Amino acid sequence: MSEIPTDAVPGVGSGRGTLERDQSKRSRIVILNDDAGRTQKAVRRGKAPYCVTEPNDEERGEYMTEVRTSSPCERPCAGIEDTPEALIGTGGRGEQRHRKVHSLIDKVYDRTNLTDAWKHVRDNKGSAGIDGLTIAAFTEREDEILARLHEQLRDRTYRPRAVKRVAIPKAGGGTRNLGIPSVTDRVVQQALVAKMIPIFEPLCADCSFGYRPGRSPHMAMRKVWREINEGNLWILDADLRSYFDKIDQERLVDLIAEEISDGRILQLIRSFLEAGVIVDGAWEPTKTGVPQGGVASPLWSNIYLTPFDHAMTKAGYRLTRWADDFVVVCRTRQEAEAALATARTFLHDKLDVSLHPEKTRIVHVTNGFEFLGYKIGKGKGLKLPAHKRTARTNPLGLYAVPRQRSVDRFKDQIRNLTRRNAPVRLRDVIEVINPVIRGWGTTTGRRTYGNCSIEWMAGLNVGYAPSSPSGGETRCGDGIHFHVWCRSSDLCV
């Protein structure tokens, strides 16, 4: 096919449609509107499509069937966008293309999506933000607030509030700063996340497990367990220093913009990042980081570290990452040292984050290491009953038990919830304790890694004793001892 000269149609360019011109080797000429409404031409070389507006009748010509109207903040074409990177090496007409998503904002503020987001926030409960609006108060005005959010997002008048700074104690000492958004902002973030997950989830590496749908700490543990059993006994145990506080906001938005070209979505994300924080009643700016405690923070933190995941796996390292905590299982100490050097260089040069010097180390599995609340090591371990053992069961004698800090924290929770002098009804005590027990059982209960069965007793059961009018005695694994009286099985849920 012969190419049509750029002056074939005045003010249009090659005369071909937008999608067809995007594949051309020649410079693209697009039509822009300046602030005064005057039409002007601009030449784009080697870049993704720019904001294009509808030409007037004189400029339209017979070849402009593919040009579509777009706002100054949204890309043309309601579906996807091809970027030039995918066309390199195929003469400008490659079959594999990097496709962007745009015109996404209307899916975010859709009433059904907002309603689903509110239900998710309501089920997660949580405290009020800086505006004092609670979950219960939001429920009473649900229709009104959701309608207002829909209009504000549609009309570009929505502005998130600053987050409330809350300091919580860390298991190893010190405090961790959380940023609690308002309930309204959590609903908007959840609506945004619901539309971003289908875009970014397929791009995540298999070695990433934290805060991803369908993935759990036990899946990460099984991966590490399997790799150690394959004879890889040297471990790079690493942690990022103040990761959530050090994320480069501009770099994060750039990574998101590689997949989403809707300017209104990017601006909405920026508004959350730049909303600031209230500390002791005063507003402070947030120039770096994402607030821990926000609905969108887990997804954004994963997006930021996805290039690191791919770089490490492409280099051949057995990486397993959960949020800012990761391990690399290696065959030799030399491989572990090389993995450490690679990780440190990439994180510093590409992402501007650093490893925690005190929490990052290289260790042999015989000496043990901690990951995701477990102490993993090589020794006698927890053996299966004799009738269940086979010749291939746990040949290295590995073990994984909850680390002592996790056990102590669980015991402290139970002590605080079962104080003898607390004037609380039994029904209320049971309703509070049972979620704690279930959570402990879910994270540190009976699990199987490879061919080795790892069993840890939660140590507490609040049960119903129908044969005893005075109730039953309950013990908690390590010294916690109290009585529970249940006259009805309805109490024990």
Side-chain angles (χ1 to χ4, degrees):
M1 178 184 296
S2 61
E3 293 191 353
I4 301 176
T6 57
D7 58 351
V9 180
V12 172
S14 66
R16 288 176 289 173
T18 301
L19 298 180
E20 192 175 356
R21 289 202 315 276
D22 188 33
Q23 301 174 1
S24 175
K25 302 178 188 177
R26 304 179 60 148
S27 300
R28 298 183 59 239
I29 301 178
V30 298
I31 302 171
L32 308 174
N33 281 346
D34 59 15
D35 295 337
R38 295 184 295 270
T39 300
Q40 54 183 330
K41 296 180 183 178
V43 178
R44 302 278 289 172
R45 304 179 189 276
K47 300 293 183 181
Y50 198 70
C51 304
V52 182
T53 58
E54 188 82 1
N56 57 38
D57 293 339
E58 295 180 356
E59 295 173 322
R60 182 182 302 276
E62 59 180 325
Y63 299 99
M64 290 304 296
T65 57
E66 292 288 337
V67 174
R68 300 171 185 173
T69 304
S70 175
S71 73
C73 293
E74 294 181 354
R75 305 295 188 193
C77 224
I80 52 178
E81 176 179 311
D82 299 333
T83 55
E85 290 84 348
L87 306 179
I88 297 176
T90 57
R93 298 181 181 273
E95 296 181 359
Q96 299 296 326
R97 300 168 182 167
H98 180 198
R99 295 181 169 184
K100 287 189 176 184
V101 178
H102 45 275
S103 297
L104 190 63
I105 187 66
D106 57 318
K107 283 76 174 177
V108 173
Y109 65 67
D110 180 77
R111 280 301 299 268
T112 301
N113 187 47
L114 287 175
T115 300
D116 292 341
W118 154 240
K119 292 178 181 178
H120 191 279
V121 172
R122 180 192 61 196
D123 294 342
N124 284 341
K125 300 180 181 180
S127 60
I130 198 64
D131 60 353
L133 182 67
T134 63
I135 294 290
F138 193 108
T139 303
E140 296 176 356
R141 303 167 51 198
E142 173 182 340
D143 293 337
E144 171 195 345
I145 298 177
L146 291 179
R148 185 173 71 242
L149 284 178
H150 171 79
E151 294 176 359
Q152 290 176 340
L153 289 169
R154 183 193 60 196
D155 300 337
R156 310 185 191 189
T157 58
Y158 169 78
R159 298 293 182 272
R161 297 176 180 268
V163 299
K164 180 171 66 175
R165 171 69 55 81
V166 177
I168 62 172
K170 298 173 66 173
T175 59
R176 175 182 288 110
N177 291 326
L178 298 184
I180 308 300
S182 67
V183 176
T184 301
D185 292 339
R186 297 207 294 268
V187 171
V188 177
Q189 286 191 24
Q190 181 60 45
L192 177 62
V193 166
K195 298 306 175 184
M196 291 182 65
I197 286 179
I199 299 171
F200 288 95
E201 177 62 22
L203 305 177
C204 293
D206 288 339
C207 62
S208 171
F209 291 86
Y211 312 122
R212 293 182 60 189
R215 297 202 164 204
S216 68
H218 300 295
M219 296 174 66
M221 283 289 297
R222 290 188 186 100
K223 178 177 181 293
V224 173
W225 189 271
R226 182 179 64 253
E227 291 170 346
I228 295 176
N229 266 315
E230 291 172 354
N232 306 293
L233 304 181
W234 285 94
I235 309 297
L236 167 59
D237 181 12
D239 196 308
L240 301 181
R241 175 192 285 178
S242 303
Y243 170 61
F244 286 88
D245 297 331
K246 299 297 184 181
I247 290 178
D248 187 317
Q249 295 178 354
E250 285 299 322
R251 196 164 295 170
L252 171 62
V253 174
D254 288 343
L255 289 171
I256 296 174
E258 290 180 3
E259 308 301 328
I260 299 176
S261 60
D262 188 335
R264 294 178 64 181
I265 291 290
L266 301 179
Q267 183 56 42
L268 180 61
I269 294 173
R270 287 183 187 275
S271 67
F272 280 117
L273 295 174
E274 300 171 356
V277 60
I278 301 298
V279 181
D280 297 329
W283 180 85
E284 294 183 3
T286 49
K287 297 181 180 180
T288 61
V290 296
Q292 282 186 271
V295 176
S297 298
L299 173 62
W300 293 345
S301 66
N302 270 338
I303 292 173
Y304 197 76
L305 283 178
T306 294
F308 168 72
D309 297 338
H310 288 298
M312 292 294 288
T313 53
K314 186 176 180 180
Y317 296 115
R318 305 170 192 86
L319 171 70
T320 304
R321 182 178 65 82
W322 184 281
D324 58 346
D325 190 11
F326 66 89
V327 296
V328 181
V329 181
C330 303
R331 178 75 61 174
T332 63
R333 183 178 182 88
Q334 291 72 21
E335 181 184 353
E337 291 173 346
L340 175 59
T342 301
R344 180 181 286 121
T345 301
F346 187 94
L347 291 169
H348 180 270
D349 296 347
K350 302 295 185 180
L351 302 178
D352 200 23
V353 294
S354 59
L355 296 172
H356 198 295
E358 298 177 1
K359 297 181 179 180
T360 301
R361 61 176 185 151
I362 295 175
V363 62
H364 194 273
V365 71
T366 302
N367 299 321
F369 66 98
E370 294 183 354
F371 186 54
L372 298 181
Y374 282 90
K375 170 77 173 183
I376 307 170
K378 181 180 179 182
K380 295 181 179 180
L382 301 177
K383 296 182 178 179
L384 288 171
H387 68 281
K388 292 185 179 180
R389 297 178 194 170
T390 65
R392 305 177 68 179
T393 297
N394 197 17
L396 297 179
L398 300 177
Y399 65 87
V401 295
R403 60 184 181 181
Q404 191 59 41
R405 283 183 296 176
S406 300
V407 176
D408 293 340
R409 186 163 59 248
F410 170 72
K411 289 157 57 177
D412 290 340
Q413 284 182 288
I414 299 302
R415 287 192 185 98
N416 293 332
L417 295 173
T418 57
R419 293 177 179 174
R420 295 171 184 253
N421 58 352
V424 182
R425 295 184 308 167
L426 176 61
R427 180 186 296 273
D428 297 333
V429 173
I430 293 175
E431 289 180 354
V432 172
I433 288 179
N434 278 342
V436 177
I437 301 172
R438 284 193 291 265
W440 173 262
T442 299
T443 57
T444 55
R446 190 180 194 278
R447 287 294 179 269
T448 300
Y449 303 121
N451 290 324
C452 181
S453 178
I454 304 302
E455 186 167 356
W456 187 263
M457 297 303 296
L460 179 63
N461 269 318
V462 180
Y464 171 56
S467 60
S468 174
S470 60
E473 183 180 64
T474 304
R475 295 179 182 271
C476 181
D478 214 10
I480 301 178
H481 180 202
F482 58 92
H483 291 271
V484 175
W485 289 296
C486 294
R487 296 187 180 275
S488 169
S489 59
D490 295 337
L491 294 177
C492 304
V493 293

